mmCIF file of all heavy atoms in Angstrom:
data_model
loop_
_atom_site.group_PDB
_atom_site.id
_atom_site.type_symbol
_atom_site.label_atom_id
_atom_site.label_comp_id
_atom_site.label_asym_id
_atom_site.label_seq_id
_atom_site.Cartn_x
_atom_site.Cartn_y
_atom_site.Cartn_z
ATOM 1 N N GLU Q 240 -1.486 2.078 22.759
ATOM 2 C CA GLU Q 240 -2.623 1.881 23.657
ATOM 3 C C GLU Q 240 -2.316 2.445 25.045
ATOM 4 O O GLU Q 240 -3.137 3.145 25.646
ATOM 5 C CB GLU Q 240 -2.936 0.387 23.742
ATOM 6 C CG GLU Q 240 -4.299 0.054 24.319
ATOM 7 C CD GLU Q 240 -5.414 0.159 23.287
ATOM 8 O OE1 GLU Q 240 -5.168 0.594 22.145
ATOM 9 O OE2 GLU Q 240 -6.543 -0.199 23.632
ATOM 10 N N HIS Q 241 -1.140 2.138 25.543
ATOM 11 C CA HIS Q 241 -0.742 2.648 26.862
ATOM 12 C C HIS Q 241 -0.651 4.175 26.840
ATOM 13 O O HIS Q 241 -1.122 4.853 27.774
ATOM 14 C CB HIS Q 241 0.601 2.044 27.276
ATOM 15 C CG HIS Q 241 1.106 2.552 28.582
ATOM 16 N ND1 HIS Q 241 0.631 2.109 29.796
ATOM 17 C CD2 HIS Q 241 2.057 3.500 28.866
ATOM 18 C CE1 HIS Q 241 1.250 2.749 30.780
ATOM 19 N NE2 HIS Q 241 2.128 3.598 30.237
ATOM 20 N N GLY Q 242 -0.058 4.716 25.770
ATOM 21 C CA GLY Q 242 0.084 6.161 25.673
ATOM 22 C C GLY Q 242 -1.255 6.869 25.665
ATOM 23 O O GLY Q 242 -1.402 7.952 26.271
ATOM 24 N N TRP Q 243 -2.243 6.276 25.007
ATOM 25 C CA TRP Q 243 -3.578 6.883 24.979
ATOM 26 C C TRP Q 243 -4.175 6.930 26.384
ATOM 27 O O TRP Q 243 -4.871 7.889 26.738
ATOM 28 C CB TRP Q 243 -4.482 6.076 24.040
ATOM 29 C CG TRP Q 243 -5.869 6.642 23.952
ATOM 30 C CD1 TRP Q 243 -6.306 7.648 23.142
ATOM 31 C CD2 TRP Q 243 -7.007 6.234 24.722
ATOM 32 N NE1 TRP Q 243 -7.638 7.891 23.345
ATOM 33 C CE2 TRP Q 243 -8.100 7.035 24.318
ATOM 34 C CE3 TRP Q 243 -7.214 5.260 25.697
ATOM 35 C CZ2 TRP Q 243 -9.379 6.896 24.856
ATOM 36 C CZ3 TRP Q 243 -8.487 5.116 26.247
ATOM 37 C CH2 TRP Q 243 -9.549 5.926 25.832
ATOM 38 N N ARG Q 244 -3.874 5.951 27.181
ATOM 39 C CA ARG Q 244 -4.434 5.901 28.537
ATOM 40 C C ARG Q 244 -3.795 6.937 29.464
ATOM 41 O O ARG Q 244 -4.457 7.477 30.354
ATOM 42 C CB ARG Q 244 -4.251 4.501 29.127
ATOM 43 C CG ARG Q 244 -5.057 3.407 28.441
ATOM 44 C CD ARG Q 244 -5.021 2.121 29.257
ATOM 45 N NE ARG Q 244 -5.738 1.043 28.567
ATOM 46 C CZ ARG Q 244 -5.168 -0.048 28.067
ATOM 47 N NH1 ARG Q 244 -3.854 -0.197 28.179
ATOM 48 N NH2 ARG Q 244 -5.872 -0.970 27.469
ATOM 49 N N VAL Q 245 -2.494 7.217 29.268
ATOM 50 C CA VAL Q 245 -1.781 8.020 30.257
ATOM 51 C C VAL Q 245 -1.412 9.418 29.770
ATOM 52 O O VAL Q 245 -1.049 10.271 30.596
ATOM 53 C CB VAL Q 245 -0.505 7.292 30.741
ATOM 54 C CG1 VAL Q 245 -0.841 5.929 31.317
ATOM 55 C CG2 VAL Q 245 0.531 7.159 29.620
ATOM 56 N N ARG Q 246 -1.469 9.685 28.456
ATOM 57 C CA ARG Q 246 -1.034 10.975 27.935
ATOM 58 C C ARG Q 246 -2.208 11.745 27.320
ATOM 59 O O ARG Q 246 -2.861 11.263 26.385
ATOM 60 C CB ARG Q 246 0.049 10.793 26.867
ATOM 61 C CG ARG Q 246 1.329 10.163 27.359
ATOM 62 C CD ARG Q 246 2.019 10.975 28.427
ATOM 63 N NE ARG Q 246 2.254 12.358 27.992
ATOM 64 C CZ ARG Q 246 2.944 13.244 28.713
ATOM 65 N NH1 ARG Q 246 3.453 12.892 29.890
ATOM 66 N NH2 ARG Q 246 3.112 14.460 28.268
ATOM 67 N N PRO Q 247 -2.487 12.943 27.791
ATOM 68 C CA PRO Q 247 -3.612 13.711 27.228
ATOM 69 C C PRO Q 247 -3.405 14.069 25.760
ATOM 70 O O PRO Q 247 -4.387 14.193 25.013
ATOM 71 C CB PRO Q 247 -3.663 14.959 28.113
ATOM 72 C CG PRO Q 247 -2.296 15.069 28.740
ATOM 73 C CD PRO Q 247 -1.824 13.652 28.901
ATOM 74 N N GLU Q 248 -2.146 14.245 25.328
ATOM 75 C CA GLU Q 248 -1.909 14.588 23.919
ATOM 76 C C GLU Q 248 -2.454 13.517 22.975
ATOM 77 O O GLU Q 248 -2.864 13.825 21.854
ATOM 78 C CB GLU Q 248 -0.405 14.758 23.655
ATOM 79 C CG GLU Q 248 0.289 15.767 24.543
ATOM 80 C CD GLU Q 248 0.979 15.102 25.729
ATOM 81 O OE1 GLU Q 248 0.381 14.177 26.320
ATOM 82 O OE2 GLU Q 248 2.111 15.505 26.045
ATOM 83 N N ALA Q 249 -2.406 12.259 23.406
ATOM 84 C CA ALA Q 249 -2.856 11.158 22.554
ATOM 85 C C ALA Q 249 -4.369 11.062 22.479
ATOM 86 O O ALA Q 249 -4.898 10.318 21.644
ATOM 87 C CB ALA Q 249 -2.275 9.838 23.057
ATOM 88 N N ARG Q 250 -5.078 11.819 23.339
ATOM 89 C CA ARG Q 250 -6.545 11.745 23.370
ATOM 90 C C ARG Q 250 -7.202 12.994 22.781
ATOM 91 O O ARG Q 250 -8.423 13.160 22.887
ATOM 92 C CB ARG Q 250 -7.023 11.536 24.803
ATOM 93 C CG ARG Q 250 -6.539 10.252 25.441
ATOM 94 C CD ARG Q 250 -7.309 9.937 26.721
ATOM 95 N NE ARG Q 250 -7.095 10.954 27.748
ATOM 96 C CZ ARG Q 250 -6.102 10.947 28.626
ATOM 97 N NH1 ARG Q 250 -5.202 9.947 28.601
ATOM 98 N NH2 ARG Q 250 -5.979 11.909 29.530
ATOM 99 N N VAL Q 251 -6.425 13.857 22.150
ATOM 100 C CA VAL Q 251 -6.961 15.119 21.642
ATOM 101 C C VAL Q 251 -8.067 14.878 20.621
ATOM 102 O O VAL Q 251 -9.105 15.559 20.634
ATOM 103 C CB VAL Q 251 -5.834 15.972 21.022
ATOM 104 C CG1 VAL Q 251 -6.407 17.157 20.249
ATOM 105 C CG2 VAL Q 251 -4.884 16.466 22.105
ATOM 106 N N ASN Q 252 -7.883 13.916 19.738
ATOM 107 C CA ASN Q 252 -8.825 13.711 18.630
ATOM 108 C C ASN Q 252 -9.655 12.441 18.734
ATOM 109 O O ASN Q 252 -10.585 12.256 17.946
ATOM 110 C CB ASN Q 252 -8.061 13.686 17.297
ATOM 111 C CG ASN Q 252 -7.393 15.005 16.990
ATOM 112 O OD1 ASN Q 252 -8.020 16.059 17.043
ATOM 113 N ND2 ASN Q 252 -6.104 14.958 16.682
ATOM 114 N N ILE Q 253 -9.316 11.552 19.639
ATOM 115 C CA ILE Q 253 -10.061 10.296 19.744
ATOM 116 C C ILE Q 253 -10.450 10.052 21.193
ATOM 117 O O ILE Q 253 -9.654 10.265 22.105
ATOM 118 C CB ILE Q 253 -9.273 9.089 19.191
ATOM 119 C CG1 ILE Q 253 -7.892 8.975 19.840
ATOM 120 C CG2 ILE Q 253 -9.151 9.188 17.669
ATOM 121 C CD1 ILE Q 253 -7.119 7.734 19.421
ATOM 122 N N ASP Q 254 -11.698 9.617 21.409
ATOM 123 C CA ASP Q 254 -12.180 9.357 22.751
ATOM 124 C C ASP Q 254 -12.329 7.862 23.025
ATOM 125 O O ASP Q 254 -12.896 7.466 24.045
ATOM 126 C CB ASP Q 254 -13.516 10.065 22.996
ATOM 127 C CG ASP Q 254 -14.554 9.733 21.937
ATOM 128 O OD1 ASP Q 254 -14.294 8.843 21.090
ATOM 129 O OD2 ASP Q 254 -15.624 10.367 21.939
ATOM 130 N N ARG Q 255 -11.825 7.049 22.117
ATOM 131 C CA ARG Q 255 -11.806 5.598 22.294
ATOM 132 C C ARG Q 255 -10.370 5.119 22.107
ATOM 133 O O ARG Q 255 -9.565 5.783 21.448
ATOM 134 C CB ARG Q 255 -12.739 4.912 21.282
ATOM 135 C CG ARG Q 255 -14.201 5.331 21.422
ATOM 136 C CD ARG Q 255 -15.025 4.845 20.245
ATOM 137 N NE ARG Q 255 -15.096 3.393 20.200
ATOM 138 C CZ ARG Q 255 -15.558 2.703 19.163
ATOM 139 N NH1 ARG Q 255 -15.950 3.339 18.066
ATOM 140 N NH2 ARG Q 255 -15.598 1.397 19.200
ATOM 141 N N PRO Q 256 -10.010 3.970 22.660
ATOM 142 C CA PRO Q 256 -8.625 3.498 22.557
ATOM 143 C C PRO Q 256 -8.186 3.303 21.112
ATOM 144 O O PRO Q 256 -9.007 3.015 20.225
ATOM 145 C CB PRO Q 256 -8.654 2.157 23.301
ATOM 146 C CG PRO Q 256 -9.845 2.233 24.183
ATOM 147 C CD PRO Q 256 -10.851 3.075 23.461
ATOM 148 N N PRO Q 257 -6.899 3.436 20.832
ATOM 149 C CA PRO Q 257 -6.388 3.232 19.467
ATOM 150 C C PRO Q 257 -6.757 1.875 18.887
ATOM 151 O O PRO Q 257 -6.919 1.748 17.666
ATOM 152 C CB PRO Q 257 -4.874 3.376 19.636
ATOM 153 C CG PRO Q 257 -4.704 4.218 20.841
ATOM 154 C CD PRO Q 257 -5.836 3.878 21.753
ATOM 155 N N SER Q 258 -6.890 0.856 19.728
ATOM 156 C CA SER Q 258 -7.225 -0.479 19.227
ATOM 157 C C SER Q 258 -8.554 -0.497 18.503
ATOM 158 O O SER Q 258 -8.781 -1.324 17.612
ATOM 159 C CB SER Q 258 -7.241 -1.492 20.373
ATOM 160 O OG SER Q 258 -8.133 -1.082 21.393
ATOM 161 N N ASN Q 259 -9.477 0.402 18.864
ATOM 162 C CA ASN Q 259 -10.770 0.473 18.189
ATOM 163 C C ASN Q 259 -10.623 0.863 16.725
ATOM 164 O O ASN Q 259 -11.458 0.505 15.901
ATOM 165 C CB ASN Q 259 -11.683 1.469 18.897
ATOM 166 C CG ASN Q 259 -12.309 0.909 20.150
ATOM 167 O OD1 ASN Q 259 -13.450 0.467 20.136
ATOM 168 N ND2 ASN Q 259 -11.562 0.907 21.237
ATOM 169 N N TYR Q 260 -9.580 1.622 16.420
ATOM 170 C CA TYR Q 260 -9.357 2.080 15.052
ATOM 171 C C TYR Q 260 -8.304 1.230 14.344
ATOM 172 O O TYR Q 260 -8.386 1.034 13.123
ATOM 173 C CB TYR Q 260 -8.936 3.553 15.068
ATOM 174 C CG TYR Q 260 -9.903 4.408 15.839
ATOM 175 C CD1 TYR Q 260 -9.608 4.842 17.120
ATOM 176 C CD2 TYR Q 260 -11.143 4.746 15.299
ATOM 177 C CE1 TYR Q 260 -10.509 5.610 17.852
ATOM 178 C CE2 TYR Q 260 -12.054 5.502 16.015
ATOM 179 C CZ TYR Q 260 -11.731 5.930 17.292
ATOM 180 O OH TYR Q 260 -12.634 6.678 18.013
ATOM 181 N N PHE Q 261 -7.349 0.723 15.105
ATOM 182 C CA PHE Q 261 -6.316 -0.132 14.529
ATOM 183 C C PHE Q 261 -6.939 -1.344 13.842
ATOM 184 O O PHE Q 261 -6.472 -1.798 12.803
ATOM 185 C CB PHE Q 261 -5.347 -0.583 15.627
ATOM 186 C CG PHE Q 261 -4.126 -1.303 15.128
ATOM 187 C CD1 PHE Q 261 -2.985 -0.600 14.795
ATOM 188 C CD2 PHE Q 261 -4.113 -2.682 14.995
ATOM 189 C CE1 PHE Q 261 -1.854 -1.261 14.332
ATOM 190 C CE2 PHE Q 261 -2.998 -3.339 14.540
ATOM 191 C CZ PHE Q 261 -1.857 -2.633 14.211
ATOM 192 N N LYS Q 262 -8.008 -1.866 14.405
ATOM 193 C CA LYS Q 262 -8.631 -3.071 13.850
ATOM 194 C C LYS Q 262 -9.324 -2.800 12.514
ATOM 195 O O LYS Q 262 -9.766 -3.744 11.851
ATOM 196 C CB LYS Q 262 -9.622 -3.650 14.848
ATOM 197 C CG LYS Q 262 -10.846 -2.792 15.093
ATOM 198 C CD LYS Q 262 -11.772 -3.438 16.108
ATOM 199 C CE LYS Q 262 -13.022 -2.592 16.328
ATOM 200 N NZ LYS Q 262 -13.926 -3.208 17.320
ATOM 201 N N LEU Q 263 -9.420 -1.516 12.108
ATOM 202 C CA LEU Q 263 -10.009 -1.183 10.817
ATOM 203 C C LEU Q 263 -8.998 -1.262 9.685
ATOM 204 O O LEU Q 263 -9.377 -1.240 8.509
ATOM 205 C CB LEU Q 263 -10.596 0.230 10.858
ATOM 206 C CG LEU Q 263 -11.662 0.498 11.919
ATOM 207 C CD1 LEU Q 263 -12.089 1.959 11.888
ATOM 208 C CD2 LEU Q 263 -12.858 -0.426 11.731
ATOM 209 N N LEU Q 264 -7.705 -1.333 10.010
ATOM 210 C CA LEU Q 264 -6.652 -1.344 8.999
ATOM 211 C C LEU Q 264 -6.395 -2.751 8.486
ATOM 212 O O LEU Q 264 -6.615 -3.742 9.187
ATOM 213 C CB LEU Q 264 -5.357 -0.781 9.590
ATOM 214 C CG LEU Q 264 -5.423 0.656 10.105
ATOM 215 C CD1 LEU Q 264 -4.139 1.004 10.848
ATOM 216 C CD2 LEU Q 264 -5.661 1.631 8.956
ATOM 217 N N CYS Q 265 -5.908 -2.837 7.243
ATOM 218 C CA CYS Q 265 -5.477 -4.105 6.650
ATOM 219 C C CYS Q 265 -3.977 -4.000 6.322
ATOM 220 O O CYS Q 265 -3.416 -2.899 6.275
ATOM 221 C CB CYS Q 265 -6.275 -4.424 5.389
ATOM 222 S SG CYS Q 265 -8.015 -4.777 5.684
ATOM 223 N N PHE Q 266 -3.357 -5.143 6.046
ATOM 224 C CA PHE Q 266 -1.905 -5.216 5.924
ATOM 225 C C PHE Q 266 -1.520 -6.203 4.839
ATOM 226 O O PHE Q 266 -2.186 -7.224 4.655
ATOM 227 C CB PHE Q 266 -1.291 -5.680 7.257
ATOM 228 C CG PHE Q 266 -1.723 -4.870 8.437
ATOM 229 C CD1 PHE Q 266 -2.943 -5.103 9.050
ATOM 230 C CD2 PHE Q 266 -0.923 -3.849 8.918
ATOM 231 C CE1 PHE Q 266 -3.362 -4.339 10.134
ATOM 232 C CE2 PHE Q 266 -1.323 -3.078 9.998
ATOM 233 C CZ PHE Q 266 -2.550 -3.324 10.598
ATOM 234 N N ASP Q 267 -0.426 -5.898 4.119
ATOM 235 C CA ASP Q 267 0.102 -6.933 3.238
ATOM 236 C C ASP Q 267 1.015 -7.857 4.056
ATOM 237 O O ASP Q 267 1.286 -7.616 5.230
ATOM 238 C CB ASP Q 267 0.785 -6.338 1.999
ATOM 239 C CG ASP Q 267 2.183 -5.771 2.241
ATOM 240 O OD1 ASP Q 267 2.735 -5.942 3.349
ATOM 241 O OD2 ASP Q 267 2.728 -5.154 1.313
ATOM 242 N N SER Q 268 1.477 -8.917 3.423
ATOM 243 C CA SER Q 268 2.224 -9.973 4.137
ATOM 244 C C SER Q 268 3.726 -9.818 4.048
ATOM 245 O O SER Q 268 4.474 -10.689 4.496
ATOM 246 C CB SER Q 268 1.837 -11.346 3.556
ATOM 247 O OG SER Q 268 2.224 -11.440 2.186
ATOM 248 N N LEU Q 269 4.211 -8.687 3.501
ATOM 249 C CA LEU Q 269 5.620 -8.558 3.146
ATOM 250 C C LEU Q 269 6.472 -8.175 4.355
ATOM 251 O O LEU Q 269 6.786 -7.004 4.577
ATOM 252 C CB LEU Q 269 5.777 -7.515 2.039
ATOM 253 C CG LEU Q 269 7.177 -7.345 1.464
ATOM 254 C CD1 LEU Q 269 7.674 -8.624 0.821
ATOM 255 C CD2 LEU Q 269 7.207 -6.200 0.474
#
Side-chain angles (χ1 to χ4, degrees):
E240 196 82 354
H241 178 78
W243 180 85
R244 293 191 183 113
V245 303
R246 297 299 306 186
E248 304 97 319
R250 298 194 296 273
V251 169
N252 296 309
I253 54 175
D254 53 8
R255 299 169 65 192
S258 56
N259 281 261
Y260 307 103
F261 188 89
K262 68 181 181 180
L263 302 177
L264 300 171
C265 293
F266 307 81
D267 77 7
S268 63
L269 185 62

